[in-house]
């Protein structure tokens, strides 16, 4: 298993997709990997990710006060969410990498950058209870 | 905008991380991107992903009955989850690609593959109400 | 502790609110019960609730094939979600019972009942990928 | 419509359960209310609840800086979560009020109150990355 050694900067969504598909096949788990089963599994992992942050109050960027063990645990939960997301996309026939690049471009059209920083009103406006559904690029 | 043209099979987590960081910087949104803000934004996107599936009952793999517009919408919501996940990992100082490869290896140790398919009891056992927290590689 | 004996049909949201407030005060936990801490705790419990259903495929009403232990576990997870929701509402100064009755009335205005069953198109329409954000009364 | 006038302090889970069942029946929506459909609808509402809080950073108890409209919106999202939770419990054959009272008692056994405030280590311990799954009564 050369996974960790193969250069993490080049980890593609496609590599993860292949590994997940192979993993399921080798264990005869394909039968369980229906779209809604995987979606609920994803929700379960998001719950575990939230539990890590639940009693902490605001947490500064970079997690300066967290120990190594805790950061490792966080990495595992973030990965669990990612791996189910990759698997769910695959089972639904969605090219996640392609979709993500396209979404970034759509977001760039919706929130143009510029000297007026107009787009920051996105966040300001959120204070009035309106919804904002887009990831920000 | 060459994003969509640059070969989707090679979309790396690192590319998405860079694009998200640049996007936030250009819009002066870094101030909003604290870990818990991004986590809640992620939960919001998971909610939107769930809404797509909520009234459908069981959905077959490959979504054979879905129209193009609906699949495109699904791709956008899957992407929103991914993009916030990538951004959250970055802000927390976690190398998501590295963590994901490591998690797959941990899962492989925990659920060995083999002719006995013993590991499929993972799913069977789940029927007794016990928890199972791991993504399956 | 007469809780279980006091007539479950009359369990009010206000009773649960009082019990939760008392519970936190007795343990000096009020310091941890900020709105976003409680919200993330709620998300964590929704994750655990989802895990119960994640590998099951479609599940019939009434859960005819579930054992007693599993139903008990389900009841605990449903309760965890409820108790954090009640506590979050209280900490935010929202009268949850009043808000819920009002929401049902708003839903009744939005989806009028009638012989034409027009409102069932709510669910049908959902198939085209549009969002539907309302609980249904 | 006497809902709002009938004394909110006495809003029982059973009243909400009856109203939800009647609402679904009048609209011929019972066909859509399978356990996993309702669970995904619940997840969708939790996502909308999270969106209200997502860009705010830490929020003080009582939401002193929020406007009336925003609080009303919050009450609606909290209610949506509650109403789907009540409906999901009903469809699963779980007595939610009874289960909630029982869970509070289980929590009281697990986290005894007392002068030593020992139980506050629950939250402290959470900092080491371990999981804590229980709502706190």
């Amino acid at each position: 298993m050369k996974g960790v050694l193969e250069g993490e900067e080049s980890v593609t969504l496609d590599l993860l997709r292949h590994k997940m598909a192979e993993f399921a096949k080798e264990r005869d788990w394909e039968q369980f990997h229906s779209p809604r089963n995987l979606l609920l599994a994803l929700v379960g992992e998001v719950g575990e990710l939230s539990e890590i942050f639940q009693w902490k109050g605001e947490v500064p960027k970079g997690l300066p006060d967290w120990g190594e063990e805790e950061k490792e645990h966080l990495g595992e939960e973030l990965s669990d969410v990612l791996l189910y997301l990759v698997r769910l996309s695959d089972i639904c026939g969605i090219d996640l990498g392609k979709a993500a690049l396209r979404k970034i471009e759509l977001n760039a059209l919706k929130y143009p950058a510029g000297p007026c920083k107009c787009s920051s009103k996105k966040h300001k406006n959120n204070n009035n209870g309106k919804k904002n559904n887009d990831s920000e690029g």
Side-chain angles (χ1 to χ4, degrees), chain A residues 49-121:
Chain A
L49 179 60
S50 297
E51 285 172 9
I52 294 180
F53 288 93
Q54 69 191 357
W55 300 125
K56 291 188 179 300
E58 211 48 42
V59 170
K61 295 186 186 189
L63 316 179
D65 304 325
W66 294 36
E68 267 317 297
E69 193 187 346
E70 196 171 27
K71 280 187 181 176
E72 197 168 277
H73 177 56
L74 173 59
E76 290 176 14
E77 298 303 340
L78 289 164
S79 298
D80 282 338
V81 176
L82 176 63
L83 295 175
Y84 276 130
L85 189 71
V86 165
R87 183 68 175 155
L88 172 59
S89 301
D90 189 21
I91 289 296
C92 288
I94 302 289
D95 183 327
L96 184 57
K98 183 175 174 177
L101 291 177
R102 180 176 165 275
K103 190 60 166 65
I104 292 174
E105 293 181 2
L106 288 174
N107 288 344
L109 293 172
K110 189 166 181 179
Y111 303 106
C116 68
K117 308 289 184 196
C118 324
S119 49
S120 76
K121 72 172 150 35

